[in-house]
Amino acid sequence: MADSVQRAVLTGIGGYLPETVVTNDEMSRRVDTSDQWIVERTGIRQRHFAAAHESASFMGASAARAALAMAGLPAESVGAIILATSTPDQAFPATAVHVQAALGAVNAFAFDLAAACSGFIYGLSVADAMIRAGQVQHVLVIGAEVYSRILDFSDRGTCVLFGDGAGAVLLSSRHVSVDGPGVLSTHLHADGRLADILYVDGAVGRPEASGFLRMNGREVFRHAVTLLAAAVSEALAANNLTAQDVDWLVPHQANRRIIDGVGRKLGLPPDRVVVTVDAHANTSAASIPLALAQAMADGRIKPGALVLLEALGGGLTWGSALLRI
Ligand code: COA
């Protein structure tokens, strides 16, 4: 094919949510809050919290198995596993190697990626670059998070916002026509000067190992819509596309008001925006693949659809990606 290009094409996707669902009413029995406050401020109605055995690697492997099953490929065909998480099983080895062992993906190299809630977009970007360089044929990009383990339940402004879960995509190298499927472009950003508005206050290697999520919600909110709107405009401009060309926006699911704000700035009608924050809360690096998996499984996102992804998180880190299914 004269005008064919090599692209990272999504060939499989899957998600995993812990069995235990915690509603806002249940949260309000544990914390001084109410269903009304949480819904009005965030759109969140419930979240899933992991049981002891539902670690990042357990959930990530479950999501990855579903992605491989959809692609119809054996685990041995995977060349690399990139696992985005802020809540790894251990400081090392990487959670990704536990997933590799659980899957039997014996030919894959495997590493974790730390970019907080932007981790999936960062992972997608790294995988896309590895595939374009011809380094690997099939890459699993996984987001897996157990934020329930780092929530401070005495801080009602943060603990109601997050949930647990995992999502995974399999990207495969394919020669396709220019208007065919695959990752069109990714756009990554970071600003470490804003590290202190969203962070975890402990880590291996630090004397104080409390390890709770800390957030200045107002500051995060203030930056989110502006930075995300700029990132999605950047993705559209890079591909000579406009918002009218986008079939679906699949945003990081942090907060309904942030999602709506970006949609409004783009001029996208709400019925072209995938929202799962009501049911999942903010599952950090897992939220985009979980939302994408859901919208593909229920038939909203079909082959050929142009999908715009965006995320912002601790760092601050943020970014966007355009993907044709
Ligand atoms: N239930 C009830 N009341 C709560 C509450 C809760 N869970 N959390 C905070 N409040 C109270 C505060 O104590 C405060 O009361 P006061 O006025 O008596 O002091 C009041 O609600 C307003 O608090 P404030 O923090 O100013 O609320 P807000 O309107 O900024 O909303 C967030 C808080 C967290 C919902 C909002 O800032 C936000 O969505 N930020 C972005 C967070 C985010 O998405 N982070 C992840 C990005 S990846």
Side-chain angles (χ1 to χ4, degrees):
M1 275 190 288
D3 59 349
S4 86
V5 288
Q6 189 185 23
R7 287 222 185 103
V9 174
L10 189 153
T11 47
I13 186 162
Y16 180 91
L17 288 160
E19 275 174 34
T20 302
V21 173
V22 180
T23 64
N24 288 347
D25 283 336
E26 286 168 294
M27 283 300 277
S28 71
R29 288 197 278 279
R30 190 166 175 181
V31 182
D32 181 15
T33 188
S34 66
D35 177 58
Q36 191 190 353
W37 191 96
I38 301 170
V39 172
E40 277 175 8
R41 292 292 209 296
T42 71
I44 295 165
R45 295 182 182 277
Q46 62 172 46
R47 72 284 296 140
H48 293 247
F49 277 170
H53 70 283
E54 290 172 314
S55 60
S57 65
F58 176 89
M59 296 194 294
S62 302
R65 269 187 211 103
L68 286 169
M70 178 176 160
L73 283 172
E76 293 82 357
S77 65
V78 177
I81 299 172
I82 303 173
L83 189 141
T85 189
S86 304
T87 46
D89 292 11
Q90 299 162 276
F92 79 86
T95 300
V97 303
H98 294 306
V99 170
Q100 186 234 23
L103 296 176
V106 290
N107 298 309
F109 62 90
F111 60 95
D112 287 0
L113 189 154
C117 296
S118 312
F120 181 75
I121 302 254
Y122 268 61
L124 195 74
S125 184
V126 174
D128 179 43
M130 294 194 311
I131 285 175
R132 283 176 198 261
Q135 189 182 5
V136 280
Q137 191 73 23
H138 302 286
V139 185
L140 276 167
V141 182
I142 304 169
E145 302 280 18
V146 272
Y147 268 48
S148 59
R149 311 241 163 101
I150 56 166
L151 293 176
D152 176 357
F153 285 92
S154 68
D155 177 4
R156 64 181 180 166
T158 60
C159 70
V160 300
L161 303 179
F162 295 90
D164 302 335
V169 299
L170 184 72
L171 295 176
S172 302
S173 176
R174 294 269 192 276
H175 286 279
V176 298
S177 65
V178 174
D179 55 1
V183 176
L184 303 188
S185 67
T186 59
H187 306 271
L188 305 182
H189 298 279
D191 187 346
R193 292 169 299 182
L194 297 170
D196 63 349
I197 65 172
L198 181 53
Y199 63 99
V200 175
D201 64 0
V204 175
R206 291 180 70 105
E208 77 291 359
S210 61
F212 287 123
L213 187 149
R214 306 291 177 204
M215 181 180 72
N216 180 334
R218 285 212 166 167
E219 278 299 296
V220 174
F221 197 96
R222 200 167 69 78
H223 290 287
V225 177
T226 315
L227 294 174
L228 288 169
V232 296
S233 299
E234 182 185 12
L236 292 171
N239 294 280
N240 291 316
L241 295 168
T242 69
Q244 278 69 49
D245 299 308
V246 174
D247 294 303
W248 288 98
L249 174 66
V250 184
H252 168 49
Q253 307 286 319
N255 180 309
R256 183 71 205 236
R257 290 189 301 156
I258 296 174
I259 294 170
D260 290 348
V262 175
R264 262 197 309 275
K265 282 212 170 192
L266 265 178
L268 266 189
D271 62 359
R272 276 159 61 198
V273 182
V274 176
V275 176
T276 53
V277 70
D278 53 333
H280 301 169
N282 182 345
T283 57
S284 192
S287 89
I288 291 178
L290 272 171
L292 191 57
Q294 186 163 312
M296 287 178 68
D298 66 23
R300 277 179 290 168
I301 298 185
K302 296 183 172 57
L306 183 67
V307 177
L308 178 56
L309 313 176
E310 48 89 333
L312 173 137
L316 288 184
T317 54
W318 68 100
S320 61
L322 264 170
L323 168 73
R324 197 174 291 283
I325 301 299

